[in-house]
Amino acid sequence: MGNSRFLNARAGIVALLLTGLAAGGISHHVSAAAPAVVGIAAAIVNDVRIKSTAARQFAKAAVRQRVALADQVQTGGASKLQLLLLDRSKFTVGANARLTIDRFVYNPNGSAMSATVAKGALRFMSGRAGGGADRSITSPSATIGVRGTLLDVVVGGEAVAIARGEREVRDVDQHDPATATLVVLRGPGPRRQGNDAPGEVDVAAGGETVTLDNPLEAAYVPYAGARPIPFTISSPGVARLNDMLLQPREILYDPDAPGQPTMPQPERDRPYYDYPPPGGFGGDGPRPSGGGYGPGNIPGLNVLPTAPNRPERPTRPGRETQPMPNPGQTSTPPSDNRPTGTINTPEPTPTPTPTSTPQPSPTPTYSPQPQQTPVPSRTQSPNDDVIVR
Amino acid sequence: MGIRISLAALCGSLIAIAPPLQAETPAELDALARATATPTAGIALARRQVAAGDMLDALATLERVILNNPQSNEARLLHAAVMCRLDDRQGAMVELDQVRGRQIADAAWAEANEACSDGRER
Protein backbone atom coordinates (compact mmCIF):
# COMPACT_ATOMS: atom_id res chain seq x y z
CA MET A 1 0.00 0.00 0.00
CA GLY A 2 2.73 2.33 1.01
CA ASN A 3 4.60 1.37 -2.11
CA SER A 4 1.68 2.05 -4.40
CA ARG A 5 1.16 5.45 -2.78
CA PHE A 6 4.78 6.23 -3.39
CA LEU A 7 4.52 5.10 -7.02
CA ASN A 8 1.34 7.05 -7.43
CA ALA A 9 2.95 10.21 -6.14
CA ARG A 10 6.07 9.71 -8.21
CA ALA A 11 4.15 9.02 -11.42
CA GLY A 12 2.00 12.04 -10.73
CA ILE A 13 5.03 14.27 -10.31
CA VAL A 14 6.57 12.94 -13.51
CA ALA A 15 3.31 13.51 -15.35
CA LEU A 16 3.13 17.02 -13.99
CA LEU A 17 6.66 17.75 -15.10
CA LEU A 18 6.03 16.32 -18.53
CA THR A 19 2.81 18.27 -18.85
CA GLY A 20 4.72 21.39 -17.99
CA LEU A 21 7.30 20.56 -20.61
CA ALA A 22 4.57 19.92 -23.13
CA ALA A 23 2.96 23.22 -22.43
CA GLY A 24 6.20 25.08 -22.61
CA GLY A 25 7.94 23.06 -25.26
CA ILE A 26 11.56 23.91 -25.51
CA SER A 27 11.65 27.00 -23.42
CA HIS A 28 14.84 28.68 -24.43
CA HIS A 29 13.67 32.13 -23.77
CA VAL A 30 16.15 34.53 -25.09
CA SER A 31 17.31 37.73 -23.61
CA ALA A 32 19.27 40.36 -25.39
CA ALA A 33 22.30 39.57 -23.26
CA ALA A 34 22.32 35.87 -24.10
CA PRO A 35 21.34 35.08 -27.64
CA ALA A 36 19.72 31.70 -28.05
CA VAL A 37 21.72 28.75 -29.18
CA VAL A 38 20.24 27.68 -32.49
CA GLY A 39 22.62 24.90 -33.45
CA ILE A 40 26.14 23.57 -33.47
CA ALA A 41 29.14 23.46 -35.77
CA ALA A 42 28.98 19.75 -36.55
CA ALA A 43 31.96 19.57 -38.88
CA ILE A 44 34.85 21.94 -39.42
CA VAL A 45 37.60 21.80 -42.00
CA ASN A 46 40.54 24.16 -41.56
CA ASP A 47 39.76 27.77 -40.70
CA VAL A 48 36.24 28.51 -39.53
CA ARG A 49 35.55 31.50 -37.34
CA ILE A 50 32.54 32.72 -35.44
CA LYS A 51 31.81 36.18 -34.13
CA SER A 52 29.08 36.54 -31.56
CA THR A 53 27.08 39.69 -31.17
CA ALA A 54 28.98 40.54 -28.02
CA ALA A 55 32.42 39.91 -29.45
CA ARG A 56 34.52 42.40 -31.32
CA GLN A 57 36.46 39.92 -33.34
CA PHE A 58 36.03 36.57 -34.96
CA ALA A 59 37.29 33.62 -32.93
CA LYS A 60 38.34 30.28 -34.28
CA ALA A 61 35.50 27.76 -34.06
CA ALA A 62 35.71 24.22 -32.79
CA VAL A 63 33.70 21.14 -33.63
CA ARG A 64 30.46 21.00 -31.64
CA GLN A 65 30.74 24.65 -30.74
CA ARG A 66 27.37 26.25 -30.10
CA VAL A 67 26.12 28.69 -32.68
CA ALA A 68 23.77 31.36 -31.43
CA LEU A 69 21.31 33.59 -33.13
CA ALA A 70 22.98 36.43 -35.03
CA ASP A 71 26.43 34.91 -34.76
CA GLN A 72 28.47 35.60 -37.86
CA VAL A 73 30.07 32.47 -39.24
CA GLN A 74 32.96 32.75 -41.66
CA THR A 75 35.03 30.16 -43.48
CA GLY A 76 38.52 30.75 -44.78
CA GLY A 77 40.24 29.51 -47.89
CA ALA A 78 40.11 25.73 -48.39
CA SER A 79 37.81 25.57 -45.39
CA LYS A 80 34.41 23.99 -44.91
CA LEU A 81 31.73 23.83 -42.28
CA GLN A 82 28.52 22.05 -41.51
CA LEU A 83 25.98 23.62 -39.20
CA LEU A 84 23.20 21.58 -37.61
CA LEU A 85 20.26 23.59 -36.33
CA LEU A 86 17.85 22.56 -33.60
CA ASP A 87 15.06 21.86 -36.08
CA ARG A 88 17.44 19.53 -37.94
CA SER A 89 18.01 22.01 -40.73
CA LYS A 90 21.52 21.69 -42.07
CA PHE A 91 23.95 24.04 -43.79
CA THR A 92 27.03 22.72 -45.55
CA VAL A 93 29.18 25.77 -46.18
CA GLY A 94 32.06 26.04 -48.63
CA ALA A 95 35.24 28.09 -48.49
CA ASN A 96 35.42 31.87 -48.17
CA ALA A 97 31.80 32.13 -47.09
CA ARG A 98 30.02 34.29 -44.57
CA LEU A 99 26.70 33.28 -43.03
CA THR A 100 24.45 34.48 -40.23
CA ILE A 101 21.35 32.88 -38.75
CA ASP A 102 19.17 35.92 -38.24
CA ARG A 103 15.96 34.40 -37.03
CA PHE A 104 14.99 31.08 -35.55
CA VAL A 105 11.55 30.30 -34.20
CA TYR A 106 10.75 26.79 -33.23
CA ASN A 107 7.50 25.57 -31.76
CA PRO A 108 4.90 22.87 -32.34
CA ASN A 109 2.85 25.13 -34.56
CA GLY A 110 5.60 25.63 -37.03
CA SER A 111 9.10 26.84 -37.38
CA ALA A 112 10.74 29.82 -38.97
CA MET A 113 14.32 30.46 -39.90
CA SER A 114 16.03 33.12 -41.85
CA ALA A 115 19.69 33.37 -42.69
CA THR A 116 21.89 35.78 -44.54
CA VAL A 117 24.68 34.66 -46.81
CA ALA A 118 26.98 37.52 -47.68
CA LYS A 119 29.34 35.51 -49.85
CA GLY A 120 30.39 31.99 -50.69
CA ALA A 121 28.61 28.75 -51.39
CA LEU A 122 26.29 26.81 -49.16
CA ARG A 123 23.88 23.92 -49.31
CA PHE A 124 20.72 24.09 -47.23
CA MET A 125 18.90 20.94 -46.22
CA SER A 126 15.63 21.58 -44.47
CA GLY A 127 14.72 19.92 -41.23
CA ARG A 128 11.50 18.60 -39.87
CA ALA A 129 8.77 21.12 -40.12
CA GLY A 130 5.49 20.00 -38.69
CA GLY A 131 2.75 22.57 -38.91
CA GLY A 132 4.49 24.43 -41.67
CA ALA A 133 7.73 26.27 -41.86
CA ASP A 134 8.79 29.67 -42.98
CA ARG A 135 12.39 29.66 -44.07
CA SER A 136 14.33 32.13 -46.08
CA ILE A 137 17.87 32.88 -47.09
CA THR A 138 18.88 36.40 -48.00
CA SER A 139 21.79 37.29 -50.23
CA PRO A 140 22.97 40.75 -51.25
CA SER A 141 20.80 40.55 -54.37
CA ALA A 142 18.01 38.08 -53.68
CA THR A 143 15.67 36.65 -51.12
CA ILE A 144 15.13 32.92 -51.32
CA GLY A 145 11.98 31.45 -49.85
CA VAL A 146 12.41 27.80 -49.01
CA ARG A 147 9.75 25.14 -48.70
CA GLY A 148 11.06 21.81 -47.51
CA THR A 149 14.00 21.44 -49.75
CA LEU A 150 17.58 20.83 -50.66
CA LEU A 151 19.17 23.77 -52.41
CA ASP A 152 22.53 25.26 -53.22
CA VAL A 153 23.24 28.98 -53.04
CA VAL A 154 26.34 30.70 -54.36
CA VAL A 155 27.02 34.38 -53.77
CA GLY A 156 29.86 36.31 -55.34
CA GLY A 157 32.46 35.64 -57.96
CA GLU A 158 31.85 31.92 -58.10
CA ALA A 159 28.23 32.55 -58.99
CA VAL A 160 29.44 34.69 -61.88
CA ALA A 161 31.91 32.02 -62.95
CA ILE A 162 29.26 29.31 -63.01
CA ALA A 163 26.78 31.53 -64.81
CA ARG A 164 29.33 32.34 -67.50
CA GLY A 165 29.56 28.65 -68.21
CA GLU A 166 25.83 28.19 -68.64
CA ARG A 167 24.40 28.53 -72.09
CA GLU A 168 21.15 30.07 -70.91
CA VAL A 169 22.72 32.89 -68.91
CA ARG A 170 26.22 33.36 -70.24
CA ASP A 171 25.15 36.21 -72.46
CA VAL A 172 24.17 38.38 -69.53
CA ASP A 173 26.41 41.38 -69.95
CA GLN A 174 26.49 42.72 -66.44
CA HIS A 175 27.60 40.86 -63.36
CA ASP A 176 28.60 42.06 -59.93
CA PRO A 177 31.03 39.61 -58.33
CA ALA A 178 30.13 41.03 -54.94
CA THR A 179 26.40 40.52 -55.11
CA ALA A 180 25.66 38.02 -57.89
CA THR A 181 23.58 35.14 -56.59
CA LEU A 182 22.99 31.69 -58.01
CA VAL A 183 20.29 29.44 -56.56
CA VAL A 184 19.94 25.80 -57.60
CA LEU A 185 17.18 23.49 -56.38
CA ARG A 186 18.63 20.01 -55.89
CA GLY A 187 15.60 18.17 -54.54
CA PRO A 188 13.57 16.41 -53.35
CA GLY A 189 11.94 15.97 -56.72
CA PRO A 190 8.64 14.39 -57.68
CA ARG A 191 10.20 10.92 -57.94
CA ARG A 192 11.90 11.08 -54.59
CA GLN A 193 11.97 8.28 -52.07
CA GLY A 194 11.59 8.65 -48.34
CA ASN A 195 9.78 11.02 -46.03
CA ASP A 196 10.88 14.39 -47.33
CA ALA A 197 8.33 16.50 -49.14
CA PRO A 198 9.05 17.84 -52.61
CA GLY A 199 11.18 20.93 -52.52
CA GLU A 200 10.23 24.33 -53.82
CA VAL A 201 12.10 27.60 -53.82
CA ASP A 202 11.04 31.15 -54.58
CA VAL A 203 13.82 33.45 -55.70
CA ALA A 204 12.79 37.10 -55.36
CA ALA A 205 14.91 39.89 -56.76
CA GLY A 206 14.46 43.09 -58.69
CA GLY A 207 10.74 43.07 -58.05
CA GLU A 208 10.16 39.65 -59.50
CA THR A 209 9.86 36.15 -58.14
CA VAL A 210 10.86 32.95 -59.87
CA THR A 211 9.73 29.60 -58.51
CA LEU A 212 11.94 26.54 -58.80
CA ASP A 213 10.21 23.22 -58.20
CA ASN A 214 12.23 20.56 -59.98
CA PRO A 215 15.77 19.39 -59.28
CA LEU A 216 18.45 21.39 -61.10
CA GLU A 217 16.19 24.29 -61.88
CA ALA A 218 18.21 27.36 -61.11
CA ALA A 219 17.92 31.13 -60.95
CA TYR A 220 20.73 33.61 -61.43
CA VAL A 221 20.65 37.19 -60.21
CA PRO A 222 23.65 38.94 -61.76
CA TYR A 223 23.63 42.00 -59.51
CA ALA A 224 21.55 43.72 -56.86
CA GLY A 225 18.42 45.09 -58.46
CA ALA A 226 18.42 42.63 -61.36
CA ARG A 227 15.64 40.18 -61.92
CA PRO A 228 16.26 36.48 -61.43
CA ILE A 229 16.95 34.57 -64.63
CA PRO A 230 15.65 31.00 -64.54
CA PHE A 231 17.53 28.22 -66.28
CA THR A 232 18.43 24.58 -65.85
CA ILE A 233 21.97 24.09 -64.65
CA SER A 234 24.27 21.84 -66.65
CA SER A 235 26.28 18.90 -65.39
CA PRO A 236 29.48 20.98 -65.47
CA GLY A 237 27.77 23.58 -63.34
CA VAL A 238 26.67 20.93 -60.87
CA ALA A 239 30.22 19.59 -60.77
CA ARG A 240 31.53 23.01 -59.83
CA LEU A 241 28.90 23.33 -57.10
CA ASN A 242 29.93 19.97 -55.70
CA ASP A 243 33.57 20.98 -55.82
CA MET A 244 32.88 24.15 -53.88
CA LEU A 245 30.97 22.33 -51.18
CA LEU A 246 32.62 18.96 -50.84
CA GLN A 247 36.02 18.89 -52.46
CA PRO A 248 38.99 19.47 -50.17
CA ARG A 249 40.34 22.28 -52.33
CA GLU A 250 38.16 25.16 -53.32
CA ILE A 251 37.88 26.66 -56.75
CA LEU A 252 39.11 30.19 -56.91
CA TYR A 253 37.55 32.96 -58.83
CA ASP A 254 39.98 35.49 -60.17
CA PRO A 255 38.29 38.73 -61.16
CA ASP A 256 41.44 39.77 -63.01
CA ALA A 257 41.06 36.94 -65.46
CA PRO A 258 37.93 37.95 -67.34
CA GLY A 259 35.97 35.12 -68.82
CA GLN A 260 38.00 32.41 -67.24
CA PRO A 261 38.03 31.55 -63.57
CA THR A 262 41.25 30.42 -62.00
CA MET A 263 40.97 26.89 -60.80
CA PRO A 264 43.67 24.91 -59.05
CA GLN A 265 44.41 21.46 -60.37
CA PRO A 266 42.77 18.92 -58.08
CA GLU A 267 44.33 15.61 -57.25
CA ARG A 268 41.96 13.60 -59.38
CA ASP A 269 42.05 13.44 -63.11
CA ARG A 270 40.16 16.31 -64.53
CA PRO A 271 36.90 15.30 -66.11
CA TYR A 272 35.84 17.01 -69.24
CA TYR A 273 33.67 19.55 -67.52
CA ASP A 274 36.11 21.24 -65.19
CA TYR A 275 37.27 23.97 -67.52
CA PRO A 276 34.67 25.80 -69.51
CA PRO A 277 35.68 26.32 -73.08
CA PRO A 278 35.81 29.88 -74.32
CA GLY A 279 32.27 31.12 -74.29
CA GLY A 280 31.11 28.69 -71.66
CA PHE A 281 30.25 25.11 -71.16
CA GLY A 282 27.33 25.23 -73.55
CA GLY A 283 25.14 22.92 -71.59
CA ASP A 284 25.84 19.30 -70.96
CA GLY A 285 27.75 18.76 -74.14
CA PRO A 286 29.07 15.45 -75.27
CA ARG A 287 30.24 13.09 -72.62
CA PRO A 288 33.52 11.28 -72.88
CA SER A 289 33.43 8.00 -74.62
CA GLY A 290 33.49 4.82 -72.64
CA GLY A 291 31.53 6.45 -69.86
CA GLY A 292 30.41 4.34 -66.99
CA TYR A 293 30.00 4.91 -63.37
CA GLY A 294 31.25 1.82 -61.72
CA PRO A 295 32.58 -1.63 -62.12
CA GLY A 296 31.45 -3.38 -65.22
CA ASN A 297 29.86 -6.12 -63.23
CA ILE A 298 27.11 -3.84 -62.00
CA PRO A 299 24.41 -4.15 -64.60
CA GLY A 300 22.41 -1.13 -65.48
CA LEU A 301 24.79 1.44 -64.07
CA ASN A 302 26.02 2.50 -67.46
CA VAL A 303 22.54 3.15 -68.71
CA LEU A 304 21.84 5.82 -66.16
CA PRO A 305 20.61 8.99 -67.73
CA THR A 306 23.12 11.61 -68.68
CA ALA A 307 20.65 14.32 -69.44
CA PRO A 308 18.22 16.07 -67.13
CA ASN A 309 15.91 13.39 -65.84
CA ARG A 310 12.72 15.15 -66.52
CA PRO A 311 10.91 16.46 -69.54
CA GLU A 312 11.27 20.04 -70.52
CA ARG A 313 9.16 22.09 -68.23
CA PRO A 314 6.31 23.78 -70.02
CA THR A 315 5.89 27.46 -69.64
CA ARG A 316 3.24 28.25 -67.14
CA PRO A 317 0.52 30.30 -68.69
CA GLY A 318 -0.71 33.36 -66.97
CA ARG A 319 2.27 33.83 -64.71
CA GLU A 320 2.98 37.45 -64.27
CA THR A 321 5.50 39.52 -62.53
CA GLN A 322 4.82 40.13 -58.91
CA PRO A 323 6.19 43.37 -57.60
CA MET A 324 8.39 42.75 -54.63
CA PRO A 325 10.79 44.84 -52.65
CA ASN A 326 14.35 44.45 -53.68
CA PRO A 327 16.28 42.91 -50.82
CA GLY A 328 19.51 44.15 -52.22
CA GLN A 329 18.45 47.68 -51.54
CA THR A 330 17.42 47.11 -47.95
CA SER A 331 20.23 45.14 -46.45
CA THR A 332 22.03 47.71 -44.42
CA PRO A 333 22.10 46.71 -40.83
CA PRO A 334 23.16 48.37 -37.65
CA SER A 335 24.99 45.53 -36.02
CA ASP A 336 23.93 46.50 -32.52
CA ASN A 337 20.27 46.33 -33.41
CA ARG A 338 20.03 42.72 -34.37
CA PRO A 339 17.20 40.56 -33.15
CA THR A 340 17.90 38.19 -30.39
CA GLY A 341 15.13 35.89 -31.55
CA THR A 342 12.96 33.54 -29.58
CA ILE A 343 12.63 29.82 -29.61
CA ASN A 344 9.21 28.32 -29.04
CA THR A 345 7.41 31.60 -29.22
CA PRO A 346 4.31 31.48 -31.35
CA GLU A 347 4.38 35.19 -31.99
CA PRO A 348 6.41 36.23 -34.96
CA THR A 349 9.88 37.37 -34.15
CA PRO A 350 11.18 40.63 -35.49
CA THR A 351 12.36 40.48 -39.01
CA PRO A 352 16.11 40.22 -38.90
CA THR A 353 18.48 42.60 -40.44
CA PRO A 354 21.36 41.12 -42.32
CA THR A 355 24.61 41.30 -40.49
CA SER A 356 26.84 42.25 -43.28
CA THR A 357 26.59 44.26 -46.37
CA PRO A 358 29.18 43.33 -48.91
CA GLN A 359 30.57 46.29 -50.69
CA PRO A 360 30.55 45.81 -54.41
CA SER A 361 34.07 45.58 -55.64
CA PRO A 362 34.81 47.45 -58.80
CA THR A 363 35.09 45.17 -61.75
CA PRO A 364 35.04 45.75 -65.42
CA THR A 365 31.77 43.86 -65.73
CA TYR A 366 29.67 45.68 -63.20
CA SER A 367 27.48 48.59 -63.95
CA PRO A 368 25.51 50.27 -61.19
CA GLN A 369 22.74 50.96 -63.65
CA PRO A 370 20.29 48.09 -63.34
CA GLN A 371 19.37 46.70 -66.67
CA GLN A 372 16.40 44.58 -67.30
CA THR A 373 17.56 41.06 -67.87
CA PRO A 374 15.56 38.76 -70.05
CA VAL A 375 13.24 36.71 -67.93
CA PRO A 376 11.31 33.83 -69.41
CA SER A 377 7.69 33.47 -68.56
CA ARG A 378 8.33 31.27 -65.53
CA THR A 379 7.56 34.02 -63.06
CA GLN A 380 5.14 34.19 -60.23
CA SER A 381 1.62 35.45 -60.23
CA PRO A 382 0.01 37.16 -57.27
CA ASN A 383 -2.13 34.08 -56.80
CA ASP A 384 0.80 31.83 -56.16
CA ASP A 385 2.09 31.05 -52.72
CA VAL A 386 4.99 33.16 -51.70
CA ILE A 387 6.87 32.60 -48.50
CA VAL A 388 9.17 35.53 -48.54
CA ARG A 389 7.85 39.00 -48.73
CA MET B 1 -6.86 3.75 -9.27
CA GLY B 2 -4.50 6.55 -8.44
CA ILE B 3 -1.75 4.82 -10.33
CA ARG B 4 -4.03 4.28 -13.30
CA ILE B 5 -4.98 7.92 -13.43
CA SER B 6 -1.40 9.02 -13.10
CA LEU B 7 -0.26 6.61 -15.77
CA ALA B 8 -2.99 7.90 -18.05
CA ALA B 9 -1.81 11.41 -17.36
CA LEU B 10 1.73 10.31 -18.05
CA CYS B 11 0.77 8.72 -21.36
CA GLY B 12 -1.23 11.77 -22.28
CA SER B 13 1.69 13.97 -21.46
CA LEU B 14 4.04 11.83 -23.49
CA ILE B 15 1.73 12.12 -26.47
CA ALA B 16 1.47 15.83 -25.91
CA ILE B 17 5.21 16.33 -25.78
CA ALA B 18 5.91 14.21 -28.83
CA PRO B 19 6.63 17.36 -30.77
CA PRO B 20 5.67 17.37 -34.40
CA LEU B 21 8.92 19.16 -35.05
CA GLN B 22 11.02 16.56 -33.25
CA ALA B 23 12.99 19.14 -31.41
CA GLU B 24 16.66 18.53 -30.92
CA THR B 25 18.80 19.73 -28.12
CA PRO B 26 22.39 20.82 -28.63
CA ALA B 27 23.43 17.64 -26.84
CA GLU B 28 21.51 15.54 -29.35
CA LEU B 29 23.16 17.42 -32.17
CA ASP B 30 26.51 16.75 -30.50
CA ALA B 31 25.69 13.06 -30.63
CA LEU B 32 24.98 13.30 -34.34
CA ALA B 33 28.29 15.05 -34.88
CA ARG B 34 30.14 12.42 -32.86
CA ALA B 35 28.45 9.68 -34.85
CA THR B 36 30.40 10.76 -37.92
CA ALA B 37 33.78 10.76 -36.22
CA THR B 38 34.86 7.84 -38.37
CA PRO B 39 33.76 7.07 -41.93
CA THR B 40 32.53 3.63 -40.91
CA ALA B 41 30.32 4.96 -38.15
CA GLY B 42 29.07 7.84 -40.27
CA ILE B 43 28.21 5.63 -43.20
CA ALA B 44 26.39 3.24 -40.90
CA LEU B 45 24.35 6.13 -39.50
CA ALA B 46 23.56 7.35 -43.00
CA ARG B 47 22.35 3.88 -43.99
CA ARG B 48 20.05 3.80 -40.98
CA GLN B 49 18.69 7.20 -41.93
CA VAL B 50 18.10 6.03 -45.50
CA ALA B 51 16.29 2.97 -44.19
CA ALA B 52 14.12 5.26 -42.08
CA GLY B 53 13.36 7.40 -45.11
CA ASP B 54 15.19 10.45 -43.79
CA MET B 55 17.11 11.23 -46.95
CA LEU B 56 18.06 14.81 -46.14
CA ASP B 57 19.43 13.70 -42.78
CA ALA B 58 21.38 10.95 -44.54
CA LEU B 59 22.74 13.42 -47.05
CA ALA B 60 23.93 15.74 -44.31
CA THR B 61 25.50 12.83 -42.45
CA LEU B 62 27.42 11.78 -45.54
CA GLU B 63 28.54 15.33 -46.17
CA ARG B 64 30.00 15.45 -42.65
CA VAL B 65 31.82 12.22 -43.38
CA ILE B 66 33.15 13.62 -46.65
CA LEU B 67 34.23 16.89 -45.04
CA ASN B 68 36.13 15.04 -42.36
CA ASN B 69 37.38 12.29 -44.67
CA PRO B 70 37.56 13.58 -48.22
CA GLN B 71 39.17 10.37 -49.40
CA SER B 72 36.17 8.27 -48.35
CA ASN B 73 35.06 7.07 -51.76
CA GLU B 74 32.32 4.96 -50.26
CA ALA B 75 30.79 8.02 -48.59
CA ARG B 76 30.91 9.86 -51.91
CA LEU B 77 29.28 6.97 -53.70
CA LEU B 78 26.53 6.70 -51.12
CA HIS B 79 26.09 10.46 -51.26
CA ALA B 80 25.41 10.09 -54.97
CA ALA B 81 22.96 7.29 -54.24
CA VAL B 82 21.06 9.49 -51.79
CA MET B 83 20.94 12.25 -54.40
CA CYS B 84 19.26 9.75 -56.70
CA ARG B 85 16.76 8.91 -53.97
CA LEU B 86 16.05 12.64 -53.69
CA ASP B 87 15.42 12.65 -57.45
CA ASP B 88 18.45 14.70 -58.40
CA ARG B 89 19.66 12.02 -60.74
CA GLN B 90 21.68 14.26 -63.01
CA GLY B 91 23.49 15.68 -60.02
CA ALA B 92 24.11 12.15 -58.82
CA MET B 93 25.59 11.23 -62.20
CA VAL B 94 28.14 13.98 -61.80
CA GLU B 95 29.12 12.60 -58.42
CA LEU B 96 29.28 9.06 -59.74
CA ASP B 97 31.57 10.32 -62.47
CA GLN B 98 33.89 11.69 -59.83
CA VAL B 99 34.33 8.33 -58.09
CA ARG B 100 34.40 6.24 -61.24
CA GLY B 101 37.37 3.94 -61.30
CA ARG B 102 38.13 4.24 -57.63
CA GLN B 103 38.39 1.29 -55.30
CA ILE B 104 34.95 0.87 -53.81
CA ALA B 105 33.28 -2.32 -52.66
CA ASP B 106 30.92 -3.90 -55.15
CA ALA B 107 28.18 -3.85 -52.53
CA ALA B 108 28.34 -0.08 -52.39
CA TRP B 109 28.17 0.12 -56.18
CA ALA B 110 25.19 -2.19 -56.13
CA GLU B 111 23.53 0.07 -53.59
CA ALA B 112 24.12 3.08 -55.81
CA ASN B 113 22.87 1.14 -58.79
CA GLU B 114 19.69 0.23 -57.00
CA ALA B 115 19.10 3.82 -55.95
CA CYS B 116 19.85 5.34 -59.33
CA SER B 117 18.64 2.81 -61.84
CA ASP B 118 15.03 3.20 -60.79
CA GLY B 119 13.92 6.57 -59.60
CA ARG B 120 10.42 5.43 -58.86
CA GLU B 121 9.12 4.29 -55.53
CA ARG B 122 10.88 1.29 -54.20
Side-chain angles (χ1 to χ4, degrees):
Chain A
M1 190 61 167
N3 263 352
S4 69
R5 270 190 196 156
F6 173 72
L7 287 173
N8 183 15
R10 198 167 62 171
I13 289 168
V14 171
L16 191 62
L17 288 173
L18 292 174
T19 305
L21 280 174
I26 301 173
S27 54
H28 293 288
H29 190 69
V30 182
S31 69
V37 169
V38 297
I40 70 165
I44 286 178
V45 177
N46 294 334
D47 186 19
V48 176
R49 293 169 186 266
I50 296 178
K51 179 178 176 293
S52 69
T53 50
R56 288 187 171 185
Q57 293 182 330
F58 282 88
K60 194 153 188 170
V63 177
R64 297 194 297 279
Q65 179 171 332
R66 274 37 177 167
V67 176
L69 202 65
D71 281 359
Q72 294 179 57
V73 180
Q74 184 172 284
T75 58
S79 302
K80 307 277 192 296
L81 164 74
Q82 188 180 81
L83 287 178
L84 290 181
L85 303 187
L86 295 177
D87 67 349
R88 285 271 187 117
S89 296
K90 287 81 63 176
F91 284 97
T92 297
V93 185
N96 298 311
R98 199 184 309 148
L99 172 73
T100 305
I101 308 298
D102 300 305
R103 178 188 179 210
F104 191 83
V105 180
Y106 191 44
N107 65 67
N109 299 320
S111 66
M113 187 280 297
S114 63
T116 299
V117 55
K119 64 174 183 174
L122 64 84
R123 172 168 295 161
F124 175 75
M125 294 157 270
S126 57
R128 294 159 181 172
D134 175 11
R135 297 183 174 112
S136 66
I137 298 171
T138 302
S139 83
S141 61
T143 300
I144 305 151
V146 178
R147 288 190 285 268
T149 198
L150 165 65
L151 81 154
D152 294 346
V153 179
V154 186
V155 175
E158 278 294 348
V160 177
I162 292 175
R164 282 180 170 161
E166 297 292 330
R167 181 167 43 201
E168 295 176 71
V169 290
R170 69 184 177 207
D171 291 334
V172 174
D173 55 2
Q174 292 184 6
H175 308 264
D176 178 8
T179 63
T181 301
L182 173 69
V183 183
V184 183
L185 178 64
R186 302 299 301 272
R191 296 195 301 166
R192 74 207 178 279
Q193 301 169 12
N195 306 326
D196 301 299
E200 200 164 303
V201 168
D202 293 332
V203 181
E208 219 168 79
T209 300
V210 166
T211 299
L212 315 176
D213 57 9
N214 270 298
L216 301 184
E217 287 185 353
Y220 176 59
V221 183
Y223 52 85
R227 297 176 179 180
I229 308 167
F231 67 104
T232 300
I233 195 166
S234 65
S235 292
V238 170
R240 294 197 67 174
L241 281 172
N242 290 345
D243 282 349
M244 280 188 277
L245 293 167
L246 295 175
Q247 288 295 340
R249 300 172 68 183
E250 81 275 32
I251 300 167
L252 301 176
Y253 172 77
D254 181 1
D256 296 327
Q260 190 75 319
T262 300
M263 301 165 66
Q265 187 77 21
E267 295 166 3
R268 62 186 165 82
D269 292 334
R270 284 201 163 281
Y272 68 102
Y273 44 70
D274 269 4
Y275 287 113
F281 293 118
D284 291 333
R287 301 183 73 84
S289 60
Y293 300 102
N297 62 345
I298 304 294
L301 209 52
N302 289 346
V303 300
L304 295 174
T306 57
N309 61 329
R310 58 188 175 75
E312 194 63 29
R313 182 178 173 171
T315 300
R316 296 177 182 176
R319 295 203 142 205
E320 303 296 338
T321 298
Q322 180 177 6
M324 295 191 66
N326 175 15
Q329 297 169 348
T330 58
S331 58
T332 307
S335 61
D336 56 347
N337 194 28
R338 298 166 66 192
T340 55
T342 301
I343 296 178
N344 198 33
T345 303
E347 289 77 23
T349 49
T351 302
T353 54
T355 56
S356 59
T357 306
Q359 299 302 315
S361 59
T363 69
T365 58
Y366 174 61
S367 163
Q369 298 300 322
Q371 281 193 352
Q372 184 161 329
T373 51
V375 178
S377 59
R378 181 148 51 89
T379 55
Q380 186 136 6
S381 77
N383 294 329
D384 289 333
D385 291 335
V386 177
I387 284 183
V388 180
R389 293 183 172 83
Chain B
M1 184 62 169
I3 291 177
R4 213 175 294 156
I5 292 171
S6 296
L7 286 177
L10 179 63
C11 291
S13 300
L14 285 174
I15 292 169
I17 66 166
L21 297 179
Q22 299 192 31
E24 304 292 335
T25 65
E28 288 168 324
L29 299 182
D30 284 346
L32 282 174
R34 284 196 195 94
T36 49
T38 67
T40 304
I43 288 170
L45 171 61
R47 285 202 167 103
R48 289 196 297 274
Q49 289 167 325
V50 168
D54 296 330
M55 302 301 169
L56 292 176
D57 284 350
L59 197 75
T61 297
L62 291 167
E63 293 191 357
R64 282 199 302 284
V65 172
I66 293 168
L67 291 181
N68 292 327
N69 307 275
Q71 304 307 319
S72 175
N73 294 325
E74 185 175 358
R76 289 184 182 276
L77 180 59
L78 292 178
H79 186 276
V82 174
M83 293 300 283
C84 280
R85 295 183 192 279
L86 287 165
D87 197 20
D88 183 358
R89 296 162 63 77
Q90 187 188 353
M93 293 307 104
V94 171
E95 296 184 23
L96 289 172
D97 238 1
Q98 291 175 333
V99 296
R100 181 177 52 183
R102 297 189 187 180
Q103 289 286 334
I104 306 177
D106 279 0
W109 277 109
E111 194 174 341
N113 185 36
E114 186 222 347
C116 295
S117 60
D118 182 6
R120 292 169 185 80
E121 296 301 320
R122 300 172 73 187

